[in-house]
Every structure is written in C-alpha cells, then in structure tokens.
Amino acid sequence: MVSKPHGGKLVRRLVAERTRERILSEQKEYPSVKIDHGRAIDLENIAHGVYSPLKGFLTSDDFQSVLNHMRLSDDTPWTIPIVIDIVEKTFDVGDAVLLYYEDIPIARMHVEEIYTYDKKEFAQKVFKTTDPNHPGVAKVYSLGKYLVGGEIELLNEVPNPFAKYTLRPVETRILFKERGWRTIVAFQTRNAPHVGHEYVQKAALTFVDGIFINPVLGKKKKGDYKDDVIIKAYETLFEHYYPKNAATLATVRYEMRYAGPREAIHHAIMRKNFGATHFIVGRDHAGVSDYYGPYEAWDMFENFPDLGITPMFIREAFYCRKCGGMVNAKICPHPKEFHVHISGTKLRKMIMAGEQPPEYMMRPEVYKVIRSFEKPFVE
C-alpha cells in the first residue's frame, strides 16, 4: 500500500479563496516579514504536506528536541530544523504576520513564540561541524538573532517555471493508486542520469511496483545541470529504457542543507509523504566535501525503526571490463584495474568539450538531449 503520511495525516495549509481575498485586502494591517527563496519554498512544502506533520515553523520545544534527539517533542522522527529567523522583534507573540517573498505575500503566520538560540549548537548538532566553509553552517551563521515558531497558511504560490512537472503529495498518491502501484521506491536527484544512476534505480525497481524519480529543483552552483536539462534527460531515458508503466517523474523544490546523514532521513520523510514505501539512499547522501563518511547516512537509519519508509541501500555502480557490464562491489570479484568509475565531474567536462561519453557511462539518447541545449550547465 502507498505509505501513510508521516505523523498519520497529510497536512494541507491552504486558505479558502474568500479568506485569501479578505487577508490580501487587509494586508497593510499586518506586520510584515521579508523572507528569502529558501524560506518561501519551505512554506510551500509545509502547506502542501511535503513536510507533514509540520503545520508551520518549529517552536523552541520542537527545535531543541530536533537538535538533541532528532525527533519532534511528540517523539515523531524529524532531523532537520525547519525554522524562520528575524533580526529584531517588530511584532509580538499572538500576532498574525504576513511573510513576503519579492513583494508577494506568500503566507500568513500565527506567531506562537519568538525565541533565541545558539548558532554554534545548531551547526554542530545538525551538520556535525562548526566550520563556516560548510554551506549549511554558513547559512546558520547568517540567520538573525531570533527564531519564530507558529503555524502558517499559504496565500500565494512561489512563481514556478516548472509547474507542469510539479506534483504535490495529494496528487502523487492518486497517481500511484491509479497505476496500481502498492510499493513505490523514490529516487532523489540533482543530475542528468548516467548509466550508474540507471543501474541503481533498476536494481531497486526489481523489488517494487514502480519508481518515483523526484528531481530537486532549487539553488544551484556553477557547473550543475540546469533544471530543464535534468527533466528532459529523464523523459528521454524513460522513453527508451524503462517499461511504460514502471516509472514516473515529478519535481520538488527544496533548498539543500548538505547535512549528510540527518538530511538523508529528512529526504526519506519527504518521499514518504509523497506516498513512497521505499527510498534509495545513495553514497554520501546529501553530503558535501568530506564532512561525512561515504556510507554514514546508511548507519543513521538504524536509529529510526519507526520511520515508516524502507531505505534501500544500493552500492555505487561502476563498469567492470572483465564482467562486461555495470556492477557493484558486492557482486564483482575482479580487482580495481578492471573497474571504471563514473565521475559526474568527468562526464560534465566531456559534455562541455563536445565529446560523447562511452555508452557504458551515458546513454547516447541522453547525451543527445543534453547537447541539444546551447548552455546545459549553470554558468
């Protein structure tokens, strides 16, 4: 069966149209807070149930419980603090405030608590480091003095150039049922697919009814594949190399924290809310640089027997010249001189140079789609 939402109920924090019109007509009467793109996307994910059971940003009890125990104060597994910060107090507990992103009122928030916090404790417990070179730590250090806890109601969606590829949890659950899928494995990606990805996905797909490819759209760094390139590349892969009713794709907008093992749990919870029953946990999942061990995220799942989604640990794939195909360390007996590891960095360099990768690295149809874009990478 499609998995139950995390916490038992799919959260929906959308206001009725009449209420929305009334709030917007009175918007000058509300205190306002400007938020960045990451917080706006968090709001959207709360409102549409991607972050179920959260109904808003964490209060101090939940915040401290997540830091210290990786659970909400009611003992529900939760590993990443979903918070909103302010520099100074311009409103009080009990107020309703409007949250604006680029002059668009995105949500109304009911202020339950305004509290201080320790940035170094936040960084150390979530990221296992206080090094400001870690992007997640740098983000924490840039936050304001106070955090604000309270429930939210979504008023407007954040403008989305990929709306036609976006499905909310309420929609994916219907889709999976319509397809007759009782077991669904989710795969998170930020890359165009190479043959190593396909190997891992199909290894997982062998054991379930369908695979849900869920590319993360959001802030990217130089050299990353552009969002539309990732989408088109997967559509081509599905068309040529997947059974017709075995795979589906929908995007999700989300700001990566690069919190390694903790974030792997968070990613699994998000996919559970979409309806997935299984989740592929990759090598160095949600890691950055060398802050985490390559399979540290796998060990983290042992702390959560009550997570409600089954992790699938599939080792990194490589091409073995002796085996004559894609394999992994568990099934290939040959020494390393026969192994060709697929490096995403190397692939990107080949593509930039107009050099077609060998077929054991990337499907020619996928390469052709990527090359059809004048500028497939973020500059």
Side-chain angles (χ1 to χ4, degrees):
M1 287 293 290
V2 171
S3 67
K4 284 184 179 173
H6 200 52
K9 188 179 178 188
L10 194 65
V11 168
R12 301 271 283 161
R13 302 293 296 172
L14 312 172
V15 293
E17 186 56 33
R18 191 176 291 179
T19 307
R20 177 180 173 276
E21 286 171 4
R22 179 176 53 77
I23 294 167
L24 293 178
S25 71
E26 298 167 352
Q27 62 182 287
K28 288 191 171 67
E29 297 171 27
Y30 289 91
S32 66
V33 175
K34 288 190 174 180
I35 58 173
D36 64 9
H37 187 262
R39 262 17 68 219
I41 295 305
D42 278 345
L43 278 169
E44 212 170 77
N45 285 335
I46 293 166
H48 288 287
V50 179
Y51 291 171
S52 294
L54 301 193
K55 294 178 181 175
F57 292 103
L58 298 186
T59 57
S60 60
D61 277 358
D62 280 331
F63 175 72
Q64 287 299 330
S65 185
V66 168
L67 288 193
N68 296 320
H69 308 296
M70 298 189 286
R71 290 174 179 271
L72 298 172
S73 53
D74 68 0
D75 205 38
T76 303
W78 197 269
T79 52
I80 298 291
I82 305 298
V83 294
I84 191 166
D85 65 300
I86 54 171
V87 175
E88 56 183 351
K89 294 183 186 179
T90 55
F91 49 83
D92 297 311
V93 171
D95 284 351
V97 301
L98 293 189
L99 306 176
Y100 286 81
Y101 170 64
E102 293 189 345
D103 300 324
I104 303 168
I106 300 293
R108 179 169 71 171
M109 181 177 184
H110 301 274
V111 180
E112 214 174 300
E113 196 176 2
I114 304 169
Y115 58 99
T116 56
Y117 62 105
D118 183 322
K119 291 183 182 181
K120 284 203 165 174
E121 180 194 27
F122 187 159
Q124 183 62 47
K125 288 191 170 161
V126 174
F127 302 103
K128 296 180 71 176
T129 179
T130 54
D131 180 0
N133 293 309
H134 184 296
V137 173
K139 181 76 182 176
V140 168
Y141 289 173
S142 75
L143 297 178
K145 182 180 178 182
Y146 303 98
L147 299 179
V148 185
E151 296 187 0
I152 63 95
E153 300 157 300
L154 198 72
L155 301 172
N156 286 300
E157 305 280 349
V158 182
N160 183 1
F162 299 99
K164 76 173 189 169
Y165 294 102
T166 302
L167 292 177
R168 308 300 186 186
V170 70
E171 295 166 319
T172 53
R173 289 169 169 274
I174 292 167
L175 174 67
F176 299 156
K177 282 177 183 169
E178 282 177 349
R179 290 200 168 192
W181 293 356
R182 294 174 63 83
T183 50
I184 303 102
V185 64
F187 181 82
Q188 166 162 320
T189 186
R190 289 176 292 143
N191 288 299
H194 57 58
V195 176
H197 296 134
E198 186 184 339
Y199 170 90
V200 168
Q201 291 161 17
K202 286 181 172 174
L205 182 56
T206 307
F207 299 100
V208 295
D209 296 331
I211 188 164
F212 173 49
I213 306 289
N214 196 205
V216 170
L217 308 187
K219 195 174 175 184
K220 294 193 182 293
K221 57 186 186 299
K222 187 180 174 183
D224 284 351
Y225 288 100
K226 290 181 178 175
D227 291 334
D228 45 352
V229 174
I230 297 168
I231 292 165
K232 294 296 181 192
Y234 264 106
E235 285 184 333
T236 299
L237 187 70
F238 284 3
E239 183 187 343
H240 293 284
Y241 295 102
Y242 277 78
K244 285 288 175 273
N245 195 36
T248 193
L249 176 144
T251 60
V252 63
R253 290 195 290 181
Y254 169 76
E255 182 180 72
M256 288 289 296
R257 271 69 172 180
Y258 302 103
R262 272 191 183 238
E263 194 163 9
I265 301 294
H266 185 62
H267 290 167
I269 291 168
M270 289 168 64
R271 278 46 185 227
K272 177 186 175 185
N273 284 325
F274 278 106
T277 54
H278 296 70
F279 179 63
I280 297 170
V281 187
R283 182 185 182 279
D284 194 23
H285 193 105
V288 62
S289 190
D290 55 358
Y291 290 99
Y292 314 105
Y295 295 106
E296 201 176 329
W298 293 15
D299 298 333
M300 179 63 87
F301 280 82
E302 291 175 15
N303 298 314
F304 299 96
D306 55 343
L307 196 59
I309 184 169
T310 304
M312 296 184 92
F313 305 131
I314 301 168
R315 292 192 174 275
E316 181 188 18
F318 53 83
Y319 182 80
C320 174
R321 285 193 283 261
K322 191 88 168 169
C323 291
M326 294 302 294
V327 292
N328 65 43
K330 195 172 180 183
I331 59 174
C332 172
H334 302 118
K336 286 182 180 175
E337 57 260 32
F338 292 105
H339 299 170
V340 182
H341 288 269
I342 302 177
S343 155
T345 307
K346 187 179 173 185
L347 268 178
R348 282 193 285 272
K349 281 181 181 169
M350 291 175 82
I351 293 165
M352 282 176 184
E355 185 185 338
Q356 182 164 343
E359 286 197 31
Y360 63 78
M361 284 190 177
M362 180 173 272
R363 299 289 192 183
E365 295 89 346
V366 170
Y367 170 74
K368 193 175 174 184
V369 163
I370 295 169
R371 288 296 299 168
S372 72
F373 287 84
E374 191 183 341
K375 294 178 180 177
F377 302 103
V378 175
E379 294 179 351

